[in-house]
């Protein structure tokens, strides 16, 4: 299994006590794709952040690529086994597209070969934008760069939080196609949080998060 | 290292974050100005100290060997008063050195030794000392040494205007082996074919009308068993010299050894500044080597059993220089303390700058964390920002200081013009202020400014490393 979450719970205490996730368990094999849907505020993003080790669960265990997540191991797991795609792209605005893609490799202190990054840029169709600062790119272009960045370390798990939430319909469709083609081509495990039922339908599994519980639909 | 890459990116001023750029620019400016000020001030004061040190030690040597009480009570010193070959008078170190006899006493013809007369159980401490110095010279070729004698006499000088000068003076045997002597003498050493012994006067005598060729006398009292007798030596002004900044310099005449020996033979002289009236000067080409050479010489004296006879003193312990040098040291320590405080205040600006930068870059920090950057790396980025600001300021400040030092004379003359009088008295500071960059000062700012900047960056760095990525990204 690439991802195993067991009995995950999360409660926020400020400004008021809300139990967002209660006893969530799931497991995903390599190459699987899972769509998590649910109403706004149900905790989709929080769940994704817990699965991505950005947020600590109150209880429960999380195993990624066979390794149990601990606070000291979390940054390494994020760098080597997880790729994030955010709704608001989250690129480093002052860096070029190429630099953004290479950043996870630089953080890992691995040889950051521009050829590898350029191949990914080619795969997302943005070779011509390699040296453009991220702040000058359009929303669709930014998300393509974010997808390339998520794949640059060849992670086992891709976590996408509303990947097309900030894009128009046309761009959103293009991003969906690109995401699924790249993930499937590279046999990555994908977990995405979305309101878009059409997008969710393209995943192998679909689950809904409602009142802190995750169930199939 | 991606941390450097990011830190450099953060330090480049951007239109969007003009407030950060403004504070950043101000921080760099303030630290640069402090670095500039510290470098210029410390360089000039170090130069002044060096000049004063040179002037203090130009007539005296940086190392002095003087006879101890053990020497004066030894058989070798005392025996001359009982030996006909020594004309029953004490000898100076120079005379002892030149004497072919280490032991002039002849038991068959000289008076019997008193019962408590010191025993003769050591070789000649004077000749052995010079042998030791010659041995050391083989190891340190630029070392020179010479015995000196000091005396006191009433100097009467008849000027060409028929007026006369009369003053109690100190006499120092001409240190012709002193490597600095040619620069001190305003006229070269003259031959002695002219009548009267050639003497060299401090240059202040020239200001009072003395000229080369003026004739005069040195008068001193020779005490005999029953009375005292006044003696005179005819002298001729052969030139003038720069006495440096010694307190007694303006009253110290350079005279041939015959004069000081004649005085030593009949009377005892005490120097007002504590300088022993007979000893050996040891000169070095580089005064910075004084301590090292002194240590070697001390070891050699111990090894040869000469240590009890000779007191080794360096310029730092000379009576006439000690207070001044200690004052210089205290001033320097105080200045470094003040400079450190100003640098701390200047570098503390970096804290506010980096706190602002951390707030500004919160989202980017969270993004980097989502890509796997560790808290340590995040802290390093902001620590580097502080250090880079410190280094950049050092570079700017040093460049400014070099520029200022290069054009120091122009600046001083401009300052003098504005004041309407000389900004720095040439009598104390020389014709121009020293303008060599002090390596000591440079090392001080190069170490303290980046270190303080790094320290200033620690709090913001810690703050940055504690950012919770999930919270920041959720709120975006």
């Amino acid at each position: 299994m690439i991802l195993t979450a067991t009995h995950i719970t999360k409660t926020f205490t400020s400004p008021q006590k809300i139990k967002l996730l209660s006893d969530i368990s799931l497991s995903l094999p390599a190459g699987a794709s899972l769509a998590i849907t649910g109403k706004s505020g149900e905790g989709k993003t929080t769940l994704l952040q817990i699965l991505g080790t950005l947020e600590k669960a109150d209880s429960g265990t999380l195993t990624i690529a066979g390794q149990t997540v601990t606070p000291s191991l979390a940054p390494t797991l994020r760098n080597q086994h997880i790729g994030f795609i955010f709704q608001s792209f989250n690129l480093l605005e002052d860096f070029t597209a190429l630099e953004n893609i290479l950043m996870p490799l630089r953080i890992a202190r691995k040889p950051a070969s521009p050829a590898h990054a350029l191949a990914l840029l080619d795969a997302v169709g943005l070779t011509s934008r390699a040296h453009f600062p991220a702040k000058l790119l359009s929303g669709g272009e930014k998300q393509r760069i974010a997808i390339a960045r998520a794949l640059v370390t060849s992670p086992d798990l891709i976590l996408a939080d509303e990947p097309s939430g900030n894009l128009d319909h046309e761009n959103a469709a293009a991003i969906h196609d690109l995401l699924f083609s790249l993930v499937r081509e590279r046999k990555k495990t994908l977990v995405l949080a979305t309101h878009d039922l059409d997008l969710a339908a393209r995943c192998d599994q679909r689950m809904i998060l409602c009142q802190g519980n995750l169930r199939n639909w | 290292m991606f941390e450097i890459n990011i830190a450099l990116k953060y330090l480049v001023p951007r239109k969007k974050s003009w407030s950060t750029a403004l504070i950043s620019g101000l921080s760099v400016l303030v630290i640069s100005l402090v670095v500039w000020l510290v470098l210029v001030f410390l360089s000039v004061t170090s130069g002044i100290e060096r000049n004063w040190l040179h002037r203090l030690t130009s007539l005296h040597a940086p190392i002095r060997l003087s006879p101890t009480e053990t020497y004066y009570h030894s058989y070798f010193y005392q025996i001359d008063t009982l030996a006909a070959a020594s004309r029953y008078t004490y000898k100076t170190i120079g005379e002892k050195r030149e004497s072919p006899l280490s032991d002039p006493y002849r038991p068959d013809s000289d008076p019997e030794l008193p019962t408590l007369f010191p025993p003769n159980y050591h070789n000649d401490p004077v000749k052995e000392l010079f042998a030791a110095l010659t041995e050391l010279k083989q190891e340190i070729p630029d070392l020179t040494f010479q015995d000196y004698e000091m005396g006191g006499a009433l100097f009467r000088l008849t000027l060409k205007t028929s007026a006369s000068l009369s003053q109690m003076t100190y006499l120092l045997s001409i240190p012709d082996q002193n490597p600095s002597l040619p620069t001190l003498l305003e006229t070269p050493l003259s031959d002695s074919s002219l009548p009267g012994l050639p003497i060299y006067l401090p240059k202040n005598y020239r200001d009072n009308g003395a000229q080369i060729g003026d004739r005069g006398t040195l008068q001193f009292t020779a005490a005999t068993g029953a009375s005292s007798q006044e003696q005179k030596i005819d002298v001729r002004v052969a030139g003038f010299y720069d006495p440096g900044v010694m307190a007694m310099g303006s009253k110290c005449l350079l005279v041939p050894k015959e004069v000081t020996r004649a005085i030593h033979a009949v009377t005892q002289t005490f120097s007002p500044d504590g300088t022993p009236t007979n000893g050996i000067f040891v000169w070095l080409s580089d005064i910075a080597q004084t301590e090292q050479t002194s240590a070697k010489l001390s070891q050699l004296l111990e090894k040869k059993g000469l240590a009890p006879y000779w007191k080794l003193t360096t310029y730092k312990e000379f009576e006439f220089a000690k207070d001044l040098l200690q004052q210089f040291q205290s001033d320097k320590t105080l200045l470094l303390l003040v400079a450190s405080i100003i640098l701390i205040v200047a570098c503390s600006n970096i804290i506010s700058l980096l706190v602002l930068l951390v707030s500004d870059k919160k989202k980017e920090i969270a993004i980097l964390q989502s890509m796997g950057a560790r808290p340590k790396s995040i802290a390093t980025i902001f620590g580097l920002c502080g250090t880079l600001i410190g280094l950049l300021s050092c570079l700017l400040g040093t460049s400014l200081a070099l520029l200022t030092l290069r054009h120091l004379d122009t600046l001083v003359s401009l300052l003098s013009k504005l004041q309407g009088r000389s900004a720095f008295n040439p009598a104390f500071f020389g014709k121009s202020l020293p303008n060599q960059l002090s390596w000591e000062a440079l090392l001080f700012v190069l170490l303290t400014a980046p270190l303080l900047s790094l320290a200033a960056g620690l709090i913001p760095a810690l703050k940055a490393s504690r950012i919770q990525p999930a919270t920041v990204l959720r709120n975006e």
Side-chain angles (χ1 to χ4, degrees):
Chain A
M1 288 290 163
I2 289 299
L3 173 71
T4 309
T6 321
H7 307 304
I8 299 288
T9 62
K10 183 73 186 176
T11 303
F12 286 106
T13 50
S14 178
Q16 64 183 69
K17 194 172 174 180
I18 302 170
K19 191 165 190 178
L20 213 55
L21 306 173
S22 56
D23 198 26
I24 287 179
S25 298
L26 63 91
S27 56
L28 283 173
S33 56
L34 166 68
I36 299 170
T37 57
K39 286 189 280 185
S40 292
E42 286 288 351
K44 297 189 295 295
T45 297
T46 302
L47 178 59
L48 236 61
Q49 286 182 337
I50 289 173
L51 297 179
T53 77
L54 285 173
E55 178 93 75
K56 201 170 171 286
D58 295 339
S59 62
T61 54
L62 183 66
T63 309
I64 293 166
Q67 297 178 72
T68 305
V69 175
T70 59
S72 62
L73 193 62
T76 312
L77 289 172
R78 280 201 294 273
N79 183 256
Q80 292 174 8
H81 298 285
I82 305 169
F84 283 97
I85 300 165
F86 299 96
Q87 179 180 353
S88 51
F89 326 125
N90 285 344
L91 295 183
L92 300 171
E93 296 284 301
D94 294 326
F95 288 76
T96 64
L98 191 64
E99 284 172 329
N100 264 285
I101 296 172
L102 288 172
M103 194 54 77
L105 291 175
R106 287 187 173 149
I107 290 172
R109 298 179 208 286
K110 283 182 182 166
S113 151
H116 179 46
L118 284 169
L120 279 166
L121 266 175
D122 186 41
V124 296
L126 283 176
T127 314
S128 60
R129 298 285 190 265
H131 301 290
F132 270 51
K135 61 187 165 199
L136 296 184
L137 300 174
S138 70
E141 287 171 334
K142 280 182 181 176
Q143 198 59 303
R144 283 163 187 264
I145 298 298
I147 292 171
R149 182 182 66 183
L151 291 167
V152 75
T153 53
S154 198
D156 303 299
L157 178 64
I158 302 289
L159 299 173
D161 187 6
E162 299 282 6
S164 53
N166 281 1
L167 300 176
D168 58 65
H169 183 71
E170 200 177 321
N171 262 310
I175 287 293
H176 296 162
D177 290 345
L178 180 69
L179 178 64
F180 276 95
S181 73
L182 287 174
V183 163
R184 283 189 178 139
E185 185 184 297
R186 287 168 169 76
K187 296 188 174 56
K188 304 296 176 197
T189 305
L190 172 71
V191 178
L192 65 83
T194 183
H195 289 115
D196 186 337
L197 297 182
D198 290 338
L199 175 63
R202 294 176 72 165
C203 292
D204 306 334
Q205 290 181 62
R206 288 160 295 279
M207 297 179 104
I208 185 163
L209 188 62
C210 183
Q211 292 178 336
N213 296 305
L214 195 63
R215 59 171 192 273
N216 290 319
W217 64 276
Chain B
M1 231 177 121
F2 87 98
E3 288 93 341
I4 293 183
N5 193 334
I6 305 234
L8 285 172
K9 214 62 158 192
Y10 284 178
L11 289 176
V12 174
R14 291 183 197 284
K15 231 188 256 176
K16 200 176 72 182
S17 47
W18 65 270
S19 53
T20 318
L22 184 73
I23 297 176
S24 167
L26 275 175
S27 300
V28 170
L29 187 72
V30 171
I31 302 170
S32 305
L33 284 176
V34 174
V35 166
W36 166 76
L37 191 72
V38 168
L39 274 181
V40 171
F41 207 73
L42 283 178
S43 295
V44 172
T45 49
S46 294
I48 291 172
E49 184 187 346
R50 222 174 20 247
N51 286 352
W52 275 63
L53 202 61
H54 176 71
R55 297 183 80 197
L56 273 171
T57 56
S58 55
L59 196 54
H60 275 60
I63 299 174
R64 188 178 67 205
L65 285 155
S66 52
T68 60
E69 282 301 306
T70 310
Y71 173 81
Y72 285 120
H73 291 124
S74 72
Y75 174 88
F76 282 94
Y77 183 71
Q78 296 288 340
I79 198 64
D80 291 318
T81 57
L82 295 172
S86 298
R87 287 178 282 119
Y88 304 110
T89 52
Y90 289 118
K91 283 184 172 174
T92 63
I93 291 165
E95 287 170 314
K96 291 289 260 181
R97 185 196 182 190
E98 289 159 17
S99 167
L101 296 169
S102 275
D103 188 355
Y105 184 69
R106 294 289 167 263
D108 46 344
S109 57
D110 285 333
E112 194 181 341
L113 294 180
T115 325
L116 293 174
F117 198 77
N120 176 10
Y121 55 73
H122 195 278
N123 291 332
D124 186 337
V126 173
K127 285 194 169 50
E128 285 209 357
L129 175 66
F130 278 94
L133 285 167
T134 309
E135 192 181 317
L136 191 64
K137 189 176 169 57
Q138 285 175 348
E139 193 186 331
I140 309 166
D142 65 348
L143 179 132
T144 48
F145 50 90
Q146 186 180 22
D147 61 283
Y148 72 89
E149 290 156 15
M150 287 184 77
L154 178 66
F155 178 47
R156 286 186 192 279
L157 183 68
T158 308
L159 305 177
K160 287 214 166 60
T161 55
S162 300
S164 64
L165 281 174
S166 181
Q167 190 175 36
M168 276 307 295
T169 52
Y170 306 102
L171 312 173
L172 175 68
S173 55
I174 298 171
D176 50 13
Q177 298 297 310
N178 182 350
S180 302
L181 193 65
T183 58
L184 295 176
L185 287 177
E186 296 187 349
T187 38
L189 287 174
S190 76
D191 60 61
S192 52
S193 57
L194 295 167
L197 286 168
I199 62 167
Y200 295 85
L201 308 182
K203 59 184 183 184
N204 53 300
Y205 273 81
R206 191 180 45 203
D207 304 336
N208 290 325
Q211 291 178 26
I212 292 175
D214 285 349
R215 306 286 299 275
T217 56
L218 288 168
Q219 298 175 15
F220 56 95
T221 307
T224 62
S227 64
S228 58
Q229 193 185 355
E230 195 165 275
Q231 295 195 359
K232 279 184 186 175
I233 297 175
D234 288 331
V235 292
R236 165 177 54 86
V237 178
F240 298 92
Y241 79 96
D242 181 357
V245 288
M246 284 172 61
M248 60 177 267
S250 61
K251 289 182 182 175
C252 185
L253 277 50
L254 300 184
V255 299
K257 271 188 179 163
E258 294 93 303
V259 178
T260 47
R261 283 181 186 176
I263 296 171
H264 266 265
V266 295
T267 185
Q268 276 195 317
T269 314
F270 298 95
S271 129
D273 64 4
T275 308
T277 53
N278 194 193
I280 295 152
F281 284 148
V282 181
W283 291 281
L284 299 161
S285 59
D286 180 9
I287 201 166
Q289 298 296 314
T290 303
E291 291 302 323
Q292 205 183 339
T293 310
S294 166
K296 279 184 184 167
L297 188 53
S298 179
Q299 276 177 5
L300 204 58
L301 294 182
E302 285 288 347
K303 196 175 130 191
K304 293 190 178 288
L306 292 166
Y309 297 99
W310 302 103
K311 186 184 174 196
L312 201 154
T313 324
T314 65
Y315 67 90
K316 289 180 182 165
E317 301 150 290
F318 290 174
E319 285 298 322
F320 61 86
K322 202 165 64 182
D323 290 345
L324 191 66
L325 293 176
Q326 278 175 358
Q327 192 55 50
F328 269 133
Q329 196 53 49
S330 305
D331 289 353
K332 202 188 274 182
T333 311
L334 190 70
L335 196 69
L336 282 177
L337 196 70
V338 172
S340 306
I341 292 169
I342 301 175
L343 264 176
I344 289 171
V345 173
C347 290
S348 63
N349 255 0
I350 292 176
I351 299 180
S352 34
L353 160 72
L354 291 183
V355 166
L356 199 70
L357 192 67
V358 170
S359 298
D360 201 35
K361 301 292 179 189
K362 221 178 233 177
K363 185 185 168 190
E364 292 201 8
I365 294 167
I367 295 170
L368 288 169
Q369 285 177 316
S370 76
M371 286 189 269
R374 290 182 168 275
K376 203 171 87 181
S377 292
I378 301 295
T380 307
I381 291 169
F382 291 92
L384 275 171
C385 282
T387 314
L388 286 171
I389 288 173
L391 281 172
L392 178 70
S393 309
C394 264
L395 200 71
L396 270 174
T398 308
S399 310
L400 265 176
L402 282 171
L403 201 71
T404 309
L405 288 170
R406 184 174 286 180
H407 298 99
L408 195 62
D409 285 342
T410 318
L411 286 171
V412 169
S413 62
L414 188 73
L415 202 63
S416 301
K417 246 183 211 169
L418 286 174
Q419 283 188 329
R421 61 182 169 81
S422 180
F424 297 95
N425 189 338
F428 296 105
F429 300 102
K431 283 175 193 163
S432 59
L433 285 181
N435 62 355
Q436 266 188 318
L437 182 70
S438 156
W439 293 107
E440 205 182 2
L442 186 64
L443 192 69
F444 169 76
V445 292
L446 283 183
L447 281 177
T448 47
L451 272 179
L452 285 172
S453 309
L454 173 67
L458 285 181
I459 298 169
L462 206 65
K463 186 176 145 90
S465 70
R466 287 183 178 171
I467 283 177
Q468 294 298 319
T471 314
V472 176
L473 295 174
R474 194 184 300 122
N475 293 338
E476 280 298 322

